[in-house]
Amino acid sequence: MAQVKKIDSNFTGLRYAEEASPGVLPPTPVWIPLEPNSYDDFGGEVTTVARNPINPSRQRKKGVVVDLEATAGFEQDLTQENLQDLLQGFMFADMRRKDELTSTDTSATAYTVASGGDSYVPGDLLFAKGFDEPTNNGLKHVDSGGSATTIPVTETLVTSTSQNGTVVRVGFQFDAGDAEISAPGGGVLPRLTTTTKDCRDFGLIPGEWIYIGGDLAVESFNTAGNNGFVRVKSVSQNEIVFDKSQGTMASEAGGSKTIKIFFGRVLKNETGSLIKRRTYQFERTLGAPDDANPGDLQAEYITNCIASEFTLNMQTGEILTTEMSFLAGQHETRTAAQGLKAGTRPQIAEADAFNAANDVARINLSVIDPTTSTPSNLFAYIQEGSISINNNLSYNKAVSVLGAFDVTAGTFEVSGELTAYFTNVEAIQAVQDNADVTFDLHLVKANAGISIDFPMLSLGDGLANVEQDEAVTLPLELQAATGAKYDPNMDHTMLWVFYDYLPNRADT
């Protein structure tokens, strides 16, 4: 046996698995890899108390362990995939998915699924990923002739009976001339109208963002403002009403155009029975203590972890990063001889991080105006910003329990900070007026993206920063609240949309 003298940080690793119940893993847990840049309060902090009786020697007795506070905190870059699963824990909710199905077989013209294939109809846009054969991945157009177990597409696939992949509905292409924009103005919000398609089939909800327009001229409207990101206010059989839009929309007939729209999976803080509390275990491997057996890893585990605080950081000239912290019940260690806990450990998927220079398609802060989808932005550019979630967790401790036996969740608190370049006094006035304000941010990279929306918030700070030889800046504090005051159907504080596919034109 050759004991190592030290273990470098580059030989450590971080993974997590969702628990079946607090502190209990499922029979075969999946340990999902993470890519931390740094750690913050990761482990178990022990509290000891020493006896200190009055005695002539003036010496204390040896201390004993009386408490343990376990936490898991780390920072990592933001990519398209690495936030989605864990974010459900911070939002105390399930992701709202649009017909995501596992496919194991492919023919030359169709994907085979166990069930649910009949939820796909001609015109649907399907995105396939995870297949070993590259041709079977990517954006596909659903064809006619499908069934519960087959999803036909117009593209040619590579036949296989041994591939595992995922298909998800990411959009729709309307028949020629079926999609039109109605934007009469005069306080009437713009909308997309159809003659034959039932828009309720898309599964859209109030507050959700979608993207209008494909890359080909025939797939998008002629008026530039009719394409781009739009927020859904309401959906009925033959129309989708928008209350926020990337551009100024104008009435336009569909003509012979086959307009495409794109949407994603939605995550928002839910109410009532839809609130879901998750617990996790984090596994940090700490290298092999014996260099003769490099595969025998030691590790520490943080168990019964509940998502506590989250921050998304945006700074000029930097990669977007996230900070996450979890409150936990216990801290465990395992020697190399004991080995790691059982389960599957997939490899990490390579992905580029979003950056603040090229990947922010839109960032908007405006006073709510129910008569228009394009109220004036309160700034042109920002210098830096952050978005935070705080579940206001607190430990539950009891006699006979070392550590915490549970955690209580407090108010779901969403906030943000922006340092904007000052252009006019409207933002300062909005702070003083305690105006109803809304915020949205859209990230696009490599034909995928993320939207973040606050339907209702109030502003704070607003003290202009004037320094010699520098641009005037305006720090703003954002305090989000339920959007029910604006619209009872937007009774959430924060909503995310994750797009598996967006057209090239979205990245402009």
Side-chain angles (χ1 to χ4, degrees), residues 49-63:
V49 174
R51 292 184 61 222
N52 190 18
I54 300 171
N55 65 91
S57 70
R58 298 182 295 109
Q59 299 181 81
R60 295 191 302 175
K61 308 292 185 180
K62 179 179 180 293

Side-chain angles (χ1 to χ4, degrees), residues 181-183 187-192 205-210 212 225 228-235 239-249 362 364 366-376 437-440 442 453-456 483-492 495:
I181 295 296
S182 172
V188 178
L189 292 172
R191 60 205 63 208
L192 184 149
I205 63 172
E208 178 176 351
W209 285 81
I210 67 173
I212 299 177
F229 289 103
V230 291
R231 189 176 76 172
V232 175
K233 179 172 174 59
S234 64
V235 181
E239 73 173 17
I240 308 172
V241 179
F242 309 120
D243 62 353
K244 293 168 78 173
S245 59
Q246 192 169 5
T248 301
M249 307 186 82
R362 166 183 159 99
N364 183 275
S366 56
V367 176
I368 294 175
D369 183 347
T371 67
T372 178
S373 66
T374 54
S376 298
V437 177
T438 183
F439 171 85
D440 57 269
H442 307 269
D453 185 79
F454 299 169
M456 174 72 67
K485 176 185 176 183
Y486 163 66
D487 185 333
N489 294 315
M490 294 190 193
D491 57 346
H492 56 267
L495 183 144

Side-chain angles (χ1 to χ4, degrees), residues 17-24 277-281 303-307:
E18 187 172 337
E19 295 179 335
S21 61
V24 179
R277 174 165 145 167
R278 286 173 162 81
T279 62
Y280 304 92
Q281 288 194 19
T303 67
N304 194 8
C305 295
I306 300 178

Side-chain angles (χ1 to χ4, degrees), residues 218-239:
V218 72
E219 301 168 348
S220 57
F221 289 104
N222 291 326
T223 302
N226 290 340
N227 305 303
F229 289 103
V230 291
R231 189 176 76 172
V232 175
K233 179 172 174 59
S234 64
V235 181
S236 58
Q237 181 172 347
N238 295 121
E239 73 173 17

